[in-house]
Each structure stands twice: as structure tokens, then as C-alpha cells.
Amino acid sequence: MMCVITGGLDVLACGMTNPARHTNPDGSLGGFISERAKVATTVHVDPGSKVCDSAWVEGNARILDSAVVKEQAWVRSFAIIRGRAVIAGRAYVEGIQNYPAIVEGNARVYGNGHILVGTTVTDNAVVYGSAN
């Protein structure tokens, strides 16, 4: 018996047993999406990014580079997650047009952390707990 894992070990580490590739709004092939995650057709997910577990991504959000959204995190509207950023736990990230919420670099947002309109979290910053 032979097993072929198309997503590589990163996909397994993300808890995906049956991952699917996201199709971006422009028709390009996007990153891996967990079978339990909810990702809207309006969302752009770069091929190196992942949406894992029961995470939700909606609106005009963009998950770029090798960013990860996982667990029960919610990313919506004009949020931009890029670089090696991770959104996890019950974290919430939301921007609006012309005032995106941006999480980038090696930043981590988890627990009940909230990143809202016009905020940028960058470098090695960590937002967690009940911060908002």
C-alpha cells in the first residue's frame, strides 16, 4: 500500500486529514484549507498559507505568504495576514476598506486577542488573552 500526501508535513502538522486547495477569486490555486474550516469564495489565500481546524475567514480578507489561521480564529472583512504570522485560539481580526487590520512578520495573535480596524501588529509581537 502506498500513501501520497499532497500537502506535505506542514499540512499534517496543521491537523488536516483531508485538506483541499482554495480557489482564489481570480481563479488561481490557493493554500490548503481544513475540511472543517470556512473560507469564503471572496477570500485570497496564497499557495503557501493555510486555514486549519475550525477557523473562519470571510469578506475580502487576504491570507498571504506562509501565514496560518487556525483553531477557532475568525478573520474577516479587509484583514491582511501575511509573512509567517499566526492567528489562533479564538482570536478575531477585522479591518474595513481603506483601514485594514494587518498582522505580519512573525506576529502571533491568539487566545481571545482582537485586532481591529486600522491596527498593524508586526515583527515578533504577540497579542493574546483578552486583549483588544
Short mmCIF file of all heavy atoms in Angstrom, two decimals, residues 83-132:
data_model
loop_
_atom_site.label_atom_id
_atom_site.label_comp_id
_atom_site.label_asym_id
_atom_site.label_seq_id
_atom_site.Cartn_x
_atom_site.Cartn_y
_atom_site.Cartn_z
N GLY A 83 3.27 37.15 5.83
CA GLY A 83 4.55 36.72 6.39
C GLY A 83 4.39 35.35 7.02
O GLY A 83 3.77 34.46 6.43
N ARG A 84 4.93 35.19 8.22
CA ARG A 84 4.79 33.92 8.96
C ARG A 84 3.86 34.10 10.15
O ARG A 84 3.96 33.40 11.16
CB ARG A 84 6.16 33.44 9.40
CG ARG A 84 7.08 33.11 8.21
CD ARG A 84 8.45 32.63 8.62
NE ARG A 84 8.42 31.50 9.52
CZ ARG A 84 8.31 30.22 9.15
NH1 ARG A 84 8.19 29.93 7.88
NH2 ARG A 84 8.31 29.26 10.04
N ALA A 85 2.94 35.05 10.04
CA ALA A 85 2.01 35.35 11.13
C ALA A 85 1.07 34.18 11.38
O ALA A 85 0.74 33.42 10.47
CB ALA A 85 1.21 36.60 10.79
N VAL A 86 0.64 34.06 12.64
CA VAL A 86 -0.30 33.01 13.04
C VAL A 86 -1.44 33.64 13.82
O VAL A 86 -1.21 34.40 14.77
CB VAL A 86 0.39 31.93 13.90
CG1 VAL A 86 -0.63 30.90 14.39
CG2 VAL A 86 1.50 31.25 13.12
N ILE A 87 -2.66 33.31 13.43
CA ILE A 87 -3.87 33.72 14.15
C ILE A 87 -4.47 32.43 14.69
O ILE A 87 -4.76 31.51 13.92
CB ILE A 87 -4.88 34.43 13.21
CG1 ILE A 87 -4.20 35.51 12.37
CG2 ILE A 87 -6.05 34.97 14.01
CD1 ILE A 87 -3.53 36.60 13.15
N ALA A 88 -4.66 32.34 16.01
CA ALA A 88 -5.08 31.06 16.61
C ALA A 88 -6.01 31.29 17.79
O ALA A 88 -6.31 32.42 18.16
CB ALA A 88 -3.84 30.28 17.05
N GLY A 89 -6.44 30.19 18.38
CA GLY A 89 -7.35 30.25 19.52
C GLY A 89 -8.69 30.78 19.08
O GLY A 89 -9.22 30.37 18.05
N ARG A 90 -9.21 31.72 19.83
CA ARG A 90 -10.47 32.39 19.48
C ARG A 90 -10.20 33.84 19.06
O ARG A 90 -11.03 34.73 19.25
CB ARG A 90 -11.45 32.35 20.65
CG ARG A 90 -11.93 30.96 20.98
CD ARG A 90 -12.88 31.00 22.17
NE ARG A 90 -13.29 29.67 22.55
CZ ARG A 90 -14.36 29.05 22.09
NH1 ARG A 90 -15.14 29.64 21.20
NH2 ARG A 90 -14.68 27.85 22.52
N ALA A 91 -9.02 34.06 18.51
CA ALA A 91 -8.62 35.41 18.09
C ALA A 91 -9.54 35.92 16.98
O ALA A 91 -10.12 35.13 16.22
CB ALA A 91 -7.18 35.40 17.61
N TYR A 92 -9.65 37.24 16.90
CA TYR A 92 -10.53 37.89 15.94
C TYR A 92 -9.77 39.04 15.29
O TYR A 92 -9.21 39.89 15.99
CB TYR A 92 -11.76 38.42 16.69
CG TYR A 92 -12.76 39.16 15.85
CD1 TYR A 92 -13.71 38.45 15.11
CD2 TYR A 92 -12.79 40.54 15.81
CE1 TYR A 92 -14.65 39.12 14.34
CE2 TYR A 92 -13.73 41.22 15.05
CZ TYR A 92 -14.66 40.50 14.32
OH TYR A 92 -15.59 41.16 13.57
N VAL A 93 -9.73 39.07 13.95
CA VAL A 93 -9.05 40.13 13.21
C VAL A 93 -10.02 40.67 12.17
O VAL A 93 -10.52 39.90 11.34
CB VAL A 93 -7.75 39.63 12.54
CG1 VAL A 93 -7.05 40.77 11.81
CG2 VAL A 93 -6.82 38.98 13.56
N GLU A 94 -10.27 41.99 12.22
CA GLU A 94 -11.21 42.58 11.27
C GLU A 94 -10.76 43.99 10.87
O GLU A 94 -10.44 44.82 11.72
CB GLU A 94 -12.61 42.68 11.86
CG GLU A 94 -13.60 43.33 10.93
CD GLU A 94 -15.00 43.45 11.52
OE1 GLU A 94 -15.16 43.37 12.74
OE2 GLU A 94 -15.92 43.64 10.72
N GLY A 95 -10.74 44.25 9.57
CA GLY A 95 -10.48 45.58 9.05
C GLY A 95 -11.68 46.06 8.26
O GLY A 95 -12.67 45.34 8.12
N ILE A 96 -11.59 47.29 7.77
CA ILE A 96 -12.60 47.81 6.84
C ILE A 96 -11.86 48.41 5.65
O ILE A 96 -10.65 48.64 5.71
CB ILE A 96 -13.53 48.87 7.49
CG1 ILE A 96 -12.71 50.07 7.99
CG2 ILE A 96 -14.37 48.24 8.59
CD1 ILE A 96 -13.58 51.22 8.48
N GLN A 97 -12.57 48.65 4.58
CA GLN A 97 -11.94 49.19 3.38
C GLN A 97 -11.21 50.49 3.73
O GLN A 97 -11.73 51.33 4.47
CB GLN A 97 -13.00 49.44 2.31
CG GLN A 97 -12.39 49.76 0.97
CD GLN A 97 -13.43 49.77 -0.13
OE1 GLN A 97 -14.62 49.82 0.12
NE2 GLN A 97 -12.97 49.72 -1.36
N ASN A 98 -10.01 50.65 3.20
CA ASN A 98 -9.12 51.78 3.44
C ASN A 98 -8.48 51.77 4.83
O ASN A 98 -7.60 52.59 5.09
CB ASN A 98 -9.80 53.12 3.19
CG ASN A 98 -10.28 53.26 1.77
OD1 ASN A 98 -9.61 52.83 0.83
ND2 ASN A 98 -11.47 53.83 1.60
N TYR A 99 -8.93 50.91 5.75
CA TYR A 99 -8.34 50.80 7.08
C TYR A 99 -8.22 49.33 7.47
O TYR A 99 -8.89 48.85 8.38
CB TYR A 99 -9.20 51.55 8.12
CG TYR A 99 -9.28 53.02 7.85
CD1 TYR A 99 -10.38 53.56 7.19
CD2 TYR A 99 -8.24 53.87 8.22
CE1 TYR A 99 -10.45 54.92 6.92
CE2 TYR A 99 -8.31 55.23 7.95
CZ TYR A 99 -9.42 55.75 7.30
OH TYR A 99 -9.49 57.09 7.04
N PRO A 100 -7.37 48.59 6.76
CA PRO A 100 -7.27 47.16 7.05
C PRO A 100 -6.64 46.90 8.42
O PRO A 100 -5.91 47.73 8.95
CB PRO A 100 -6.35 46.65 5.94
CG PRO A 100 -5.51 47.82 5.57
CD PRO A 100 -6.41 49.02 5.74
N ALA A 101 -6.95 45.76 8.98
CA ALA A 101 -6.23 45.25 10.15
C ALA A 101 -5.16 44.34 9.58
O ALA A 101 -5.45 43.46 8.76
CB ALA A 101 -7.17 44.48 11.05
N ILE A 102 -3.89 44.55 9.98
CA ILE A 102 -2.78 43.81 9.40
C ILE A 102 -2.01 43.10 10.50
O ILE A 102 -1.64 43.71 11.51
CB ILE A 102 -1.83 44.75 8.64
CG1 ILE A 102 -2.59 45.47 7.52
CG2 ILE A 102 -0.63 43.98 8.09
CD1 ILE A 102 -1.80 46.60 6.87
N VAL A 103 -1.77 41.81 10.30
CA VAL A 103 -0.89 41.03 11.18
C VAL A 103 0.18 40.47 10.26
O VAL A 103 -0.14 39.77 9.29
CB VAL A 103 -1.65 39.91 11.92
CG1 VAL A 103 -0.70 39.16 12.84
CG2 VAL A 103 -2.82 40.50 12.72
N GLU A 104 1.46 40.79 10.56
CA GLU A 104 2.52 40.42 9.62
C GLU A 104 3.80 40.04 10.35
O GLU A 104 3.90 40.13 11.57
CB GLU A 104 2.78 41.58 8.67
CG GLU A 104 3.25 42.84 9.34
CD GLU A 104 3.36 44.02 8.40
OE1 GLU A 104 3.00 43.93 7.22
OE2 GLU A 104 3.82 45.08 8.88
N GLY A 105 4.79 39.66 9.55
CA GLY A 105 6.07 39.24 10.11
C GLY A 105 5.92 37.92 10.84
O GLY A 105 5.27 37.00 10.33
N ASN A 106 6.46 37.83 12.04
CA ASN A 106 6.33 36.64 12.88
C ASN A 106 5.33 36.85 14.00
O ASN A 106 5.38 36.17 15.02
CB ASN A 106 7.69 36.25 13.47
CG ASN A 106 8.61 35.72 12.42
OD1 ASN A 106 8.26 34.83 11.65
ND2 ASN A 106 9.82 36.27 12.35
N ALA A 107 4.43 37.81 13.83
CA ALA A 107 3.45 38.15 14.87
C ALA A 107 2.51 36.99 15.14
O ALA A 107 2.20 36.19 14.24
CB ALA A 107 2.67 39.39 14.47
N ARG A 108 2.04 36.92 16.39
CA ARG A 108 1.09 35.89 16.81
C ARG A 108 -0.08 36.57 17.51
O ARG A 108 0.14 37.43 18.38
CB ARG A 108 1.73 34.91 17.80
CG ARG A 108 2.99 34.23 17.32
CD ARG A 108 2.68 33.21 16.23
NE ARG A 108 3.83 32.47 15.79
CZ ARG A 108 4.51 32.70 14.68
NH1 ARG A 108 4.18 33.70 13.90
NH2 ARG A 108 5.52 31.95 14.33
N VAL A 109 -1.29 36.19 17.14
CA VAL A 109 -2.49 36.65 17.83
C VAL A 109 -3.24 35.39 18.23
O VAL A 109 -3.58 34.57 17.36
CB VAL A 109 -3.37 37.55 16.94
CG1 VAL A 109 -4.61 38.01 17.70
CG2 VAL A 109 -2.57 38.75 16.43
N TYR A 110 -3.49 35.22 19.52
CA TYR A 110 -4.18 34.01 19.96
C TYR A 110 -4.97 34.28 21.23
O TYR A 110 -5.08 35.42 21.67
CB TYR A 110 -3.21 32.85 20.12
CG TYR A 110 -2.13 33.02 21.16
CD1 TYR A 110 -2.28 32.50 22.43
CD2 TYR A 110 -0.94 33.67 20.86
CE1 TYR A 110 -1.28 32.64 23.38
CE2 TYR A 110 0.07 33.81 21.80
CZ TYR A 110 -0.11 33.29 23.06
OH TYR A 110 0.87 33.42 23.99
N GLY A 111 -5.53 33.21 21.82
CA GLY A 111 -6.43 33.40 22.95
C GLY A 111 -7.68 34.11 22.47
O GLY A 111 -8.25 33.73 21.46
N ASN A 112 -8.05 35.16 23.17
CA ASN A 112 -9.19 35.98 22.76
C ASN A 112 -8.74 37.33 22.22
O ASN A 112 -9.48 38.30 22.27
CB ASN A 112 -10.16 36.18 23.93
CG ASN A 112 -10.88 34.91 24.28
OD1 ASN A 112 -11.41 34.22 23.40
ND2 ASN A 112 -10.90 34.54 25.54
N GLY A 113 -7.51 37.41 21.73
CA GLY A 113 -6.98 38.67 21.21
C GLY A 113 -7.80 39.20 20.05
O GLY A 113 -8.23 38.43 19.19
N HIS A 114 -8.02 40.50 20.03
CA HIS A 114 -8.76 41.16 18.95
C HIS A 114 -7.86 42.21 18.30
O HIS A 114 -7.29 43.05 19.00
CB HIS A 114 -10.01 41.87 19.49
CG HIS A 114 -11.10 40.95 19.88
ND1 HIS A 114 -11.01 40.08 20.93
CD2 HIS A 114 -12.33 40.77 19.35
CE1 HIS A 114 -12.14 39.40 21.04
NE2 HIS A 114 -12.95 39.80 20.09
N ILE A 115 -7.78 42.17 16.99
CA ILE A 115 -7.08 43.19 16.21
C ILE A 115 -8.13 43.81 15.29
O ILE A 115 -8.73 43.11 14.48
CB ILE A 115 -5.93 42.56 15.37
CG1 ILE A 115 -4.98 41.77 16.27
CG2 ILE A 115 -5.20 43.65 14.59
CD1 ILE A 115 -4.33 42.58 17.38
N LEU A 116 -8.33 45.10 15.45
CA LEU A 116 -9.43 45.75 14.74
C LEU A 116 -8.96 46.82 13.78
O LEU A 116 -7.76 47.11 13.68
CB LEU A 116 -10.41 46.33 15.76
CG LEU A 116 -11.01 45.30 16.74
CD1 LEU A 116 -11.88 45.99 17.77
CD2 LEU A 116 -11.79 44.23 16.00
N VAL A 117 -9.88 47.43 13.11
CA VAL A 117 -9.74 48.43 12.06
C VAL A 117 -8.50 49.31 12.22
O VAL A 117 -8.30 49.94 13.25
CB VAL A 117 -11.00 49.31 12.05
CG1 VAL A 117 -10.88 50.43 11.05
CG2 VAL A 117 -12.24 48.47 11.80
N GLY A 118 -7.66 49.33 11.18
CA GLY A 118 -6.53 50.23 11.12
C GLY A 118 -5.34 49.86 11.98
O GLY A 118 -4.36 50.60 12.04
N THR A 119 -5.37 48.72 12.64
CA THR A 119 -4.27 48.30 13.52
C THR A 119 -3.30 47.42 12.76
O THR A 119 -3.70 46.59 11.95
CB THR A 119 -4.83 47.50 14.71
OG1 THR A 119 -5.77 48.32 15.41
CG2 THR A 119 -3.73 47.08 15.66
N THR A 120 -1.99 47.60 13.03
CA THR A 120 -0.96 46.73 12.46
C THR A 120 -0.18 46.09 13.60
O THR A 120 0.29 46.79 14.50
CB THR A 120 0.00 47.51 11.55
OG1 THR A 120 -0.75 48.05 10.45
CG2 THR A 120 1.10 46.60 11.00
N VAL A 121 -0.08 44.77 13.55
CA VAL A 121 0.73 44.01 14.50
C VAL A 121 1.84 43.40 13.68
O VAL A 121 1.58 42.70 12.70
CB VAL A 121 -0.11 42.91 15.20
CG1 VAL A 121 0.75 42.11 16.15
CG2 VAL A 121 -1.29 43.53 15.93
N THR A 122 3.10 43.64 14.06
CA THR A 122 4.20 43.26 13.19
C THR A 122 5.39 42.68 13.96
O THR A 122 5.36 42.61 15.18
CB THR A 122 4.62 44.47 12.33
OG1 THR A 122 5.52 44.05 11.32
CG2 THR A 122 5.24 45.57 13.16
N ASP A 123 6.40 42.34 13.22
CA ASP A 123 7.66 41.79 13.76
C ASP A 123 7.38 40.54 14.59
O ASP A 123 6.74 39.63 14.11
CB ASP A 123 8.42 42.85 14.55
CG ASP A 123 8.84 44.02 13.66
OD1 ASP A 123 9.12 43.79 12.47
OD2 ASP A 123 8.87 45.15 14.16
N ASN A 124 7.82 40.52 15.84
CA ASN A 124 7.64 39.36 16.71
C ASN A 124 6.61 39.63 17.80
O ASN A 124 6.62 38.98 18.85
CB ASN A 124 8.97 38.97 17.35
CG ASN A 124 9.93 38.44 16.30
OD1 ASN A 124 9.60 37.53 15.55
ND2 ASN A 124 11.11 39.03 16.23
N ALA A 125 5.70 40.56 17.55
CA ALA A 125 4.68 40.92 18.53
C ALA A 125 3.76 39.74 18.83
O ALA A 125 3.49 38.91 17.97
CB ALA A 125 3.87 42.11 18.04
N VAL A 126 3.28 39.71 20.07
CA VAL A 126 2.32 38.69 20.49
C VAL A 126 1.14 39.38 21.17
O VAL A 126 1.33 40.19 22.08
CB VAL A 126 2.96 37.69 21.48
CG1 VAL A 126 1.95 36.68 21.98
CG2 VAL A 126 4.14 36.98 20.83
N VAL A 127 -0.07 39.07 20.70
CA VAL A 127 -1.30 39.59 21.30
C VAL A 127 -2.10 38.37 21.73
O VAL A 127 -2.37 37.49 20.92
CB VAL A 127 -2.11 40.43 20.30
CG1 VAL A 127 -3.42 40.93 20.93
CG2 VAL A 127 -1.28 41.60 19.79
N TYR A 128 -2.48 38.32 23.01
CA TYR A 128 -3.19 37.13 23.49
C TYR A 128 -4.08 37.48 24.67
O TYR A 128 -4.14 38.62 25.10
CB TYR A 128 -2.21 36.03 23.88
CG TYR A 128 -1.33 36.39 25.06
CD1 TYR A 128 -1.67 36.01 26.34
CD2 TYR A 128 -0.15 37.12 24.88
CE1 TYR A 128 -0.87 36.34 27.43
CE2 TYR A 128 0.65 37.44 25.95
CZ TYR A 128 0.29 37.05 27.21
OH TYR A 128 1.09 37.39 28.28
N GLY A 129 -4.75 36.47 25.19
CA GLY A 129 -5.64 36.66 26.33
C GLY A 129 -6.89 37.40 25.90
O GLY A 129 -7.45 37.12 24.86
N SER A 130 -7.29 38.35 26.70
CA SER A 130 -8.49 39.13 26.42
C SER A 130 -8.13 40.50 25.87
O SER A 130 -8.86 41.46 26.04
CB SER A 130 -9.33 39.26 27.68
OG SER A 130 -9.79 37.99 28.08
N ALA A 131 -6.97 40.61 25.25
CA ALA A 131 -6.52 41.90 24.72
C ALA A 131 -7.35 42.30 23.50
O ALA A 131 -7.72 41.48 22.69
CB ALA A 131 -5.05 41.80 24.31
N ASN A 132 -7.67 43.59 23.43
CA ASN A 132 -8.31 44.15 22.23
C ASN A 132 -8.15 45.64 22.22
O ASN A 132 -7.68 46.24 23.12
CB ASN A 132 -9.77 43.73 22.08
CG ASN A 132 -10.64 44.02 23.27
OD1 ASN A 132 -10.17 44.13 24.39
ND2 ASN A 132 -11.91 44.15 23.02
#
